[in-house]
């Protein structure tokens, strides 16, 4: 999927190799699990020392001079802005040049999105922030009084960066309080202290992005701040914090964020598909006349996109690919994405990164380059002259971490782990058959981010129809769409929405259709004699972050199809692919 950025946002801050030598990511000496944030900070005293070191470690990274390659500012700047070389990693002749490469739609950050390396590129990125965090924690642990020092030194050795499982039932309560509290009380080397919460926000040491001519679009206009159009990255002046769903006073609005979490039910359905479909939002545009067996599955990246939009909102940093990493929540979000990848690997140990094309380019890679498991994941060094690649990071225990589920089922048949995972995120067993609306979306038609809301049996649904409506089934998030990538050939995003719960609420039952006899072989649409009418039963409403409604065709929606799949009779956690039934489609 294309990434949205603007040529006016090139940063004047030139980055070079740090004075203490190139940043080399080494593996952890011992293997310890990354824990879910609720367990990590809310489990009484079990992980109290680790949590206190986490808080202090983050603040220590914030406090480093921003020119330091090991500072939070520099590490956050790897993903998107400031579009300059990190740690001297330029890519040589392939280095990104803002004056020319922007015009052809090349992405100016190092991150891989919309291609096969999305999950694996972020793995060493997470390992980098985790390693720097642990380094700071170890230094802090040595400062504790002698009677406490041993406990904190041990905690620093065991510390691994937590993840936030926003797909668990607990997430329906909203964002964990540890990310929204202004202050935290922790035990430090100097005793008990109430400290600013570094997990809530990060204060920029220098300007991020560029001021807008319209003064009200800049945070300095508070209490009359108005976030700019989604076509542009918000401007953050030096001394201002990152925000989530900012109001006119440039303050977080957690009531809105938490309300959106209530209706965001991400599909953890990537565990039954091969690596290509699991990793990539752009597996290609399927022939509309060919039954697509993976219609009810979502890639990890498609699933991940929605959380960015919901966590950031209009004007919030998490919503914009160029600046998303400056919100510390990004790293807890992506630790969970890495967990999903690791769990998927355990279920599918023989599937890994195939050769593919990275259409968007990066800071060190031109557009449409071939990529595979041996492609350098720049700028992440494993030595002064070599970079990590996807094959290097395949085995996470060799990197020095794991996840609780992998520990629990280590040495067991992968089917047991598979069943357990699906049990964590299983659909309601009340439904013997589940129904899915599959959307095919042409990229580049609309500058993002935006969401395509899906309503059932409500033909007149609009952007003003509340997502609390019983007709609302879910959404497909388009996090990073930009017009500039149309010149590189048409690419598509495929997203699915489980519409079963909405149908149940409305008392609907859809008739099954025989794909061969009921579908026009030329148009791919249901014949007029068929009972099911997608035009009235499924309505797609694209909505920008500012609430503006967009015509589906203008938002790139080309096709909507409805499929259903039956549960396995022996294991209700599974949907059986070969039971798929086709129920109609409409084109835009």
């Amino acid at each position: 999927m294309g990434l949205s950025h603007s040529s006016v946002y090139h940063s004047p801050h030139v980055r070079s190799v740090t004075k203490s030598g190139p940043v080399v990511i080494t593996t952890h000496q011992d293997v310890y699990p990354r824990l879910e944030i609720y367990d990590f900070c809310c489990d009484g005293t079990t992980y109290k020392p680790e949590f206190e070191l986490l808080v202090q470690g983050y603040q220590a990274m914030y406090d480093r001079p921003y020119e330091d390659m090991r500072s939070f500012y520099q590490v956050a700047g790897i993903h998107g802005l400031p579009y300059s070389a990190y740690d001297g990693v330029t890519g040589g002749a392939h280095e990104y040049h803002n004056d020319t490469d922007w015009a052809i739609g090349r992405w100016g950050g190092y991150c891989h999105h919309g291609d096969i390396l999305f999950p694996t590129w972020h793995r060493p990125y997470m390992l980098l922030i985790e390693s720097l965090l642990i380094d700071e924690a170890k230094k802090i642990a040595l400062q504790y009084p002698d009677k406490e020092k041993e406990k904190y030194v041990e905690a620093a050795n065991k510390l691994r960066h937590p993840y936030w499982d926003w797909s668990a039932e607990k997430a329906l309560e909203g964002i964990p309080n540890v990310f929204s509290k202004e202050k935290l009380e922790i035990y430090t080397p100097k005793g008990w202290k109430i400290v600013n919460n570094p997990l809530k926000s990060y204060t920029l040491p220098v300007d991020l992005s560029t001021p807008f001519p319209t003064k009200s679009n800049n945070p300095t206009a508070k209490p009359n701040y108005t976030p700019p159009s989604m076509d542009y990255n918000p401007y953050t002046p030096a001394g201002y914090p990152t925000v989530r769903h900012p109001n006119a006073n440039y303050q977080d609005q957690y009531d809105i964020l938490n309300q959106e979490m209530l209706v965001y039910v991400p599909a953890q359905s990537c565990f039954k598909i091969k690596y290509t479909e699991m990793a990539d939002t752009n597996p290609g545009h399927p022939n509309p006349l060919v039954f697509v067996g993976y219609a009810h599955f979502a890639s990890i990246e498609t699933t991940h996109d929605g959380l960015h939009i919901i966590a950031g909102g209009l004007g919030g940093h998490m919503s914009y690919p160029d600046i998303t990493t400056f919100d510390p929540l990004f790293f807890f979000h992506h630790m969970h994405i890495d967990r999903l990848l690791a769990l998927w690997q355990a279920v599918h140990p023989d599937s890994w990164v195939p050769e593919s094309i990275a259409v968007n380019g990066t800071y060190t890679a031109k557009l449409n380059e071939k990529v595979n498991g041996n492609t350098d994941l720049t700028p992440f060094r494993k030595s002064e002259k070599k970079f990590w690649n996807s094959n290097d990071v395949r085995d996470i225990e060799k990197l020095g971490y794991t996840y609780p589920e992998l520990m629990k089922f280590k040495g067991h048949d992968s089917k047991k782990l598979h069943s357990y995972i699906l049990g964590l995120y299983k659909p309601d067993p009340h439904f013997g058959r589940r129904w899915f609306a599959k959307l095919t979306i042409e990229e580049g038609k609309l500058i993002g981010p935006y969401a395509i809301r899906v309503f059932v049996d409500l033909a007149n649904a609009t952007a003003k129809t509340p997502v609390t409506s019983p007709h609302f089934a879910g959404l497909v998030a388009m996090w990073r769409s930009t017009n500039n990538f149309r010149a590189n050939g048409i690419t598509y995003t495929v997203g699915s929405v489980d519409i079963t719960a909405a149908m149940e609420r409305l008392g609907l039952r859809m008739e099954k259709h025989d794909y061969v006899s009921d579908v026009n072989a030329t148009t791919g649409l249901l014949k007029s004699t068929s009972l099911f009418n997608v035009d009235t039963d499924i309505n797609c409403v694209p909505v920008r972050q500012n609430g503006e409604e967009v015509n589906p065709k203008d938002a790139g929606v080309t096709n909507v199809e409805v499929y259903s799949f039956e549960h396995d009779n022996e294991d209700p956690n599974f949907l059986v692919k070969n039971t798929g039934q086709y129920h109609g489609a409409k084109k835009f």
Side-chain angles (χ1 to χ4, degrees):
M1 189 184 295
L3 293 142
S4 122
H5 59 289
S6 171
S7 60
V8 300
Y9 298 143
H10 187 63
S11 171
H13 304 298
V14 177
R15 304 192 283 183
S16 58
V17 178
T18 183
K19 294 179 181 178
S20 58
V23 179
V24 176
I25 306 174
T26 57
T27 59
H28 306 312
Q29 185 174 358
D30 299 306
V31 179
Y32 290 105
R34 291 176 179 170
L35 302 173
E36 211 283 327
I37 189 64
Y38 280 110
D39 298 330
F40 190 77
C41 70
C42 305
D43 185 24
T45 60
T46 305
Y47 302 107
K48 178 176 167 291
E50 286 90 341
F51 175 68
E52 291 166 338
L53 291 173
L54 171 78
V55 172
Q56 295 175 87
Y58 253 91
Q59 189 60 54
M61 289 190 290
Y62 290 176
D63 292 342
R64 280 180 173 267
Y66 78 85
E67 302 93 341
D68 187 338
M69 292 297 119
R70 293 174 173 84
S71 68
F72 184 84
Y73 174 81
Q74 292 291 342
V75 173
I78 289 172
H79 191 271
L81 282 171
Y83 306 149
S84 59
Y86 173 80
D87 201 29
V89 181
T90 65
H94 288 183
E95 183 176 10
Y96 176 87
H97 294 286
N98 201 68
D99 321 350
T100 55
D101 285 322
W102 158 252
I104 61 173
R106 180 175 167 185
W107 169 239
Y110 287 94
C111 72
H112 279 266
H113 281 283
D115 69 55
I116 211 74
L117 299 183
F118 163 75
T120 55
W121 182 88
H122 285 82
R123 177 163 282 177
Y125 195 17
M126 296 303 102
L127 190 62
L128 171 59
I129 194 75
E130 182 174 66
S131 297
L132 296 176
L133 173 69
I134 293 171
D135 288 344
E136 298 292 353
K138 288 181 176 179
K139 289 185 288 186
I140 294 168
L142 293 173
Q143 299 172 27
Y144 276 84
D146 290 342
K147 64 178 181 179
E148 305 281 358
K149 186 178 298 184
E150 183 178 352
K151 177 173 65 174
Y152 281 89
V153 167
E154 181 182 6
N157 289 330
K158 292 181 177 180
L159 178 62
R160 297 295 182 266
H161 196 297
Y163 62 90
W164 174 32
D165 186 357
W166 35 256
S167 47
E169 185 176 355
K170 183 79 172 175
L172 293 175
E173 300 175 9
I175 190 171
N177 289 335
V178 71
F179 296 127
S180 59
K181 289 181 178 179
E182 291 282 353
K183 303 283 186 178
L184 296 172
E185 186 176 13
I186 59 172
Y187 186 69
T188 75
K190 295 183 179 180
W192 286 98
K193 282 190 173 183
I194 296 176
V195 300
N196 291 328
N197 181 7
L199 309 185
K200 180 181 183 295
S201 62
Y202 168 64
T203 299
L204 272 298
V206 293
D207 291 354
L208 181 64
S209 196
T210 301
F212 288 91
T214 304
K215 292 184 178 180
S216 63
N217 290 151
N218 301 313
T220 49
K222 65 178 187 176
N224 300 304
Y225 172 63
T226 303
S229 161
M230 294 303 295
D231 297 357
Y232 304 97
N233 290 312
Y235 167 60
T236 314
Y240 278 68
T242 55
V243 287
R244 301 160 190 161
H245 291 267
N247 61 16
N249 205 36
Y250 198 68
Q251 295 174 329
D252 300 328
Q253 299 181 93
Y254 287 107
D255 55 338
I256 296 177
L257 193 164
N258 291 337
Q259 181 182 13
E260 295 203 4
M261 286 296 298
L262 283 173
V263 298
Y264 177 61
V265 184
Q268 301 299 344
S269 53
C270 55
F271 293 99
K272 292 184 70 177
I273 51 180
K274 61 186 179 181
Y275 187 92
T276 304
E277 286 80 11
M278 178 278 297
D280 194 357
T281 61
N282 300 322
H285 183 46
N287 185 327
L289 299 183
V290 175
F291 177 79
V292 182
Y294 296 123
H296 62 305
F297 299 116
S299 75
I300 281 182
E301 184 171 5
T302 300
T303 301
H304 131 286
D305 289 355
L307 193 279
H308 272 279
I309 294 175
I310 284 173
L314 180 63
H317 291 71
M318 277 288 285
S319 290
Y320 303 80
D322 308 75
I323 60 176
T324 183
T325 43
F326 291 93
D327 185 333
L329 188 63
F330 171 92
F331 293 98
F332 293 83
H333 168 40
H334 268 273
M335 292 292 172
H336 178 48
I337 297 299
D338 184 77
R339 168 178 170 264
L340 294 179
L341 172 61
L343 296 178
W344 180 90
Q345 286 180 255
V347 173
H348 301 277
D350 298 325
S351 184
W352 194 233
V353 182
E355 186 170 287
S356 185
I357 301 294
V359 297
N360 298 322
T362 69
Y363 189 85
T364 55
K366 298 288 187 181
L367 296 170
N368 300 309
E369 283 196 355
K370 288 184 179 181
V371 293
N372 56 40
N374 292 314
T375 300
D376 286 345
L377 302 177
T378 55
F380 307 120
R381 303 176 189 267
K382 63 179 179 180
S383 67
E384 288 195 13
K385 296 183 178 180
K386 292 185 178 181
F387 298 94
W388 291 95
N389 62 41
S390 299
N391 291 334
D392 293 330
V393 299
R394 186 171 184 175
D395 186 342
I396 63 173
E397 286 200 0
K398 290 182 179 179
L399 303 179
Y401 72 91
T402 185
Y403 293 98
E405 296 87 354
L406 299 181
M407 296 174 66
K408 181 176 182 177
F409 288 92
K410 188 173 182 178
H412 291 262
D413 189 315
S414 63
K415 291 182 179 179
K416 291 185 178 180
L417 173 61
H418 194 178
S419 181
Y420 176 79
I421 294 168
L422 293 174
L424 292 177
Y425 308 112
K426 67 183 178 181
D428 188 334
H430 175 73
F431 307 119
R433 173 172 285 269
R434 295 196 74 79
W435 305 76
F436 297 85
K438 172 171 162 272
L439 282 64
T440 302
I441 306 149
E442 181 182 345
E443 295 184 10
K445 294 285 285 186
L446 182 66
I447 295 176
Y450 60 98
I452 302 170
R453 299 175 183 173
V454 176
F455 293 88
V456 176
D457 196 30
L458 190 65
N460 62 349
T462 68
K464 294 183 179 180
T465 304
V467 293
T468 53
S469 164
H471 296 270
F472 176 72
L475 59 84
V476 173
M478 295 294 286
W479 188 41
R480 308 159 312 275
S481 184
T482 172
N483 291 327
N484 292 309
F485 298 102
R486 288 178 57 75
N488 302 318
I490 298 176
T491 53
Y492 295 86
T493 289
V494 176
S496 64
V497 172
D498 188 334
I499 61 175
T500 318
M503 292 173 59
E504 180 69 15
R505 286 194 299 270
L506 300 170
L508 297 179
R509 287 291 182 269
M510 296 182 182
E511 298 293 333
K512 296 181 181 180
H513 293 284
D514 178 79
Y515 188 80
V516 177
S517 63
D518 287 346
V519 177
N520 186 302
T522 303
T523 65
L525 302 177
L526 278 173
K527 296 176 181 178
S528 58
T529 55
S530 298
L531 297 175
F532 180 71
N533 186 349
V534 179
D535 288 320
T536 57
D537 288 334
I538 301 294
N539 191 12
C540 297
V541 182
V543 183
R544 291 179 179 269
Q545 287 287 74
N546 63 0
E548 176 190 350
E549 183 175 339
V550 181
N551 180 277
K553 187 173 182 180
D554 294 337
V557 182
T558 64
N559 198 35
V560 179
E561 300 160 281
V562 175
Y563 296 91
S564 66
F565 296 82
E566 291 182 355
H567 284 148
D568 188 296
N569 291 329
E570 296 181 3
D571 190 339
N573 293 326
F574 287 85
L575 298 178
V576 185
K577 188 177 71 174
N578 62 14
T579 63
Q581 296 285 331
Y582 178 83
H583 298 277
K586 65 177 176 180
K587 297 181 179 180
F588 295 89

